[in-house]
Amino acid sequence: KRAEKVEQVRDMLMKMEQDSLESLELVDAIQRFGLCYHFKDEIQAILHHQYLAHKTNGCEGLFEASLRFRLLRQHGCQVIADDFFGQFLRDGELKVRGSLVGETMGVVAMHEASHLNMGGEDILYEAAKLSSQWLNSEAVTRHDDEEFTKMVNHCLSNPQHKTVAGFAARNIYLQFEDAGKNHALRELADLEFAYIESLHKHEILRVVEWWNGVRVSEEVKSSRNEPLKWHVWSMAIIRNPSWSKHRILLTKPISLVYAVDDIFDLHGIGTIHDLTHFTQAVKRWDVSASAELPSYMKTWCNAIYNTTDEISSFIYREHGWDPIHFLKKEWGNLMDAFLVEAKWLRSGELVKAEEYLKNGVISSGVPMVLSHLFFLMGNPLTNQTHILLNDPNGLTHSVAKLLRLLDDFGSAKDENQNGYDGSYTECYIKEGKAESWEGAREHVMNIVEETWENINKHALSCSSPTFSPCFARACLNAARMVPTMYSYGQDHSLPLLQHYVRSMFRDPTFAKSLLG
């Protein structure tokens, strides 16, 4: 039945007027539902016609211009923002036909589009500023309109481009249902949801089975024991159902990063000697090197060795090359970064903010994890990709920078962790670069926006040497997941993560167990 609905939607896409606003809205809905992988060729054909239509006729209104720009850029088309928004933004004001109230959805769409800034695009800065001002003002004026206020808050807090596909899929589904729109697409989304939910449940059982086999949580009671939550990373990063085995494998190094981080944070203060030997044992990649370590460190050494060997063997069977040497080096880099942080905290050394951030990018574990993903997705290591994976200003390191900043900024420790490994914000204030927490916050959020622009430039641009579209999209999904994983509530809970998990699993008991 699912395959039948896929063909129905495909037929609809092919018969639809390719350069119409209706086709843009349908592509946007398909993207929000996370169904693009079914219709790659059809979507590319529509966007090609949309690109030509804009070159020939421009756009009828702000909504069409904003939606067309966002979709074209998200799918790798080289488009210039001024060509789309120049007629609507002049002299620091929004210029539209008729009243702005009548262009509410146009302003919302423009705000969504403004988040695709690749850096230095002044008109998108202006679009972001003016649309935010207008939406906030209108929300105050129309405070009795609960639905409008809810829509505005969602748009400002969870922009589509910076949110994992599927996060708001349920809301989109209900909007389609209320409007009586596109019955075939709604049915496909429902069937897809059930299919993916079943896949994810199976994957989670496999991950828990592996984690229980490692058994380290029995030895280190204070360390985090959340394999279910850690698999949510893989669910968000690799969305295509056919990559189920890859999601299971990716969760393993993700879990190990959290666990090893706890060893340094929870057990590192006062045990630098053991941590140094632990680091050396991992870097030497020799079981005998861990002989003198405490039992829990031996367990983790073996888990690191075995998991990396397992993933490398899988990659060799699937793609014909063995990345073990590169992955060993990535683990060595991560261990060195963890040890540096442990020594800083043990000595009480006042570290400069930039030095802390440079090391923190590596200690986030993101470069190591994304290196595993790079090979799992079938990418070979060449001179060019070796440079890209290790580029401090590149895609993978930018995602790591985003995680480090938002993790440090949101909370110095996560909701189930008793250790502490420093904070960029704290270093920045102690260095005397900010007089208050508010000043440091503004500085951090500016870096976050600049980092997002760099991610956009690398993930969406097809004009410069970069990774495969599949891997770039996965990195973009990782960046999108960061706020979900590190936006803490007042009670140290993760409300965005809770919302995401509940939106992915209709069984409330299972969702609750996943959240612990």
Side-chain angles (χ1 to χ4, degrees), residues 28 52 65 84 88 129 149 168 206 251 263 266 286 298 361 378 386 441 443 471 505 515:
D28 185 42
L52 295 177
F84 289 79
F88 304 108
K129 176 184 174 183
T149 303
R206 293 282 304 278
T251 299
I263 289 176
L266 303 179
D286 181 1
K298 288 181 187 178
V361 164
H386 187 280
R441 173 189 171 84
H443 170 72
F471 180 69
F505 295 97
L515 292 165

Side-chain angles (χ1 to χ4, degrees), residues 48 80-81 150 160 269 480 484 492:
H48 176 68
I80 300 171
K150 186 178 178 181
Q160 190 268 351
I269 304 303
R480 289 166 171 160
T484 302
H492 291 288

Side-chain angles (χ1 to χ4, degrees), residues 138-174:
E138 198 67 12
V140 173
T141 303
R142 297 164 61 178
H143 63 275
D144 292 332
D145 188 339
E146 187 175 331
E147 285 301 312
F148 178 80
T149 303
K150 186 178 178 181
M151 178 192 69
V152 168
N153 289 338
H154 183 80
C155 171
L156 296 175
S157 303
N158 302 290
Q160 190 268 351
H161 177 63
K162 295 178 180 176
T163 304
V164 178
F167 186 82
R170 193 66 186 163
N171 292 337
I172 302 297
Y173 183 90
L174 294 174

Side-chain angles (χ1 to χ4, degrees), residues 79-99:
V79 287
I80 300 171
D82 291 79
D83 293 346
F84 289 79
F85 300 108
Q87 62 178 312
F88 304 108
L89 294 168
R90 294 193 302 272
D91 304 322
E93 293 183 359
L94 272 167
K95 305 287 185 181
V96 297
R97 298 169 188 169
S99 69

